[in-house]
Amino acid sequence: MSKFNTLAAGKDLSGGFRDFFDTIGMTGSGLVTKAIAAVIAVVAIRMLLSLSSNPKTAMRQGGMAVGVLFVAVILAMYGPTLFSTVTDAKG
């Protein structure tokens, strides 16, 4: 038995970032969409962490934060598909 086992086939990444993102299956528009979703998720988490001590206000702010977090998750999952209808990007 060989001392060295090959876990993955070698890839030619001489084309730079384009080749790298092709290997992980992400296009430029998909990367931008994921980054936007990550920023929105951070804003939603910040909203959740800064809730008021007043129960009525906390419920309203918490509901908005959960809604923003939901939008971030949907954008992360389906963003390239949603934006491919506007542009010619392939998600």
Side-chain angles (χ1 to χ4, degrees), residues 45-68:
I45 298 297
R46 174 73 174 112
M47 288 171 68
L48 281 172
L49 292 176
S50 65
L51 290 178
S52 173
S53 61
N54 182 6
K56 186 176 179 181
T57 306
M59 285 295 289
R60 188 174 68 240
Q61 289 176 346
M64 285 194 311
V66 169
V68 170

Side-chain angles (χ1 to χ4, degrees), residues 4 12 15-17 20 24 28 51-52 56 60 62-63 70 86 88:
F4 300 104
D12 178 26
F17 284 113
F20 171 72
I24 61 173
L51 290 178
S52 173
K56 186 176 179 181
R60 188 174 68 240
F70 177 74
V86 179
D88 290 335

Side-chain angles (χ1 to χ4, degrees), residues 10-78:
K11 292 284 185 181
D12 178 26
L13 299 179
S14 61
F17 284 113
R18 182 180 179 98
D19 288 340
F20 171 72
F21 289 125
D22 286 343
T23 61
I24 61 173
M26 187 171 292
T27 61
S29 65
L31 184 65
V32 170
T33 305
K34 301 282 190 231
I36 291 170
V39 169
I40 292 173
V42 167
V43 169
I45 298 297
R46 174 73 174 112
M47 288 171 68
L48 281 172
L49 292 176
S50 65
L51 290 178
S52 173
S53 61
N54 182 6
K56 186 176 179 181
T57 306
M59 285 295 289
R60 188 174 68 240
Q61 289 176 346
M64 285 194 311
V66 169
V68 170
L69 192 57
F70 177 74
V71 168
V73 168
I74 295 299
L75 185 61
M77 290 178 9
Y78 301 112

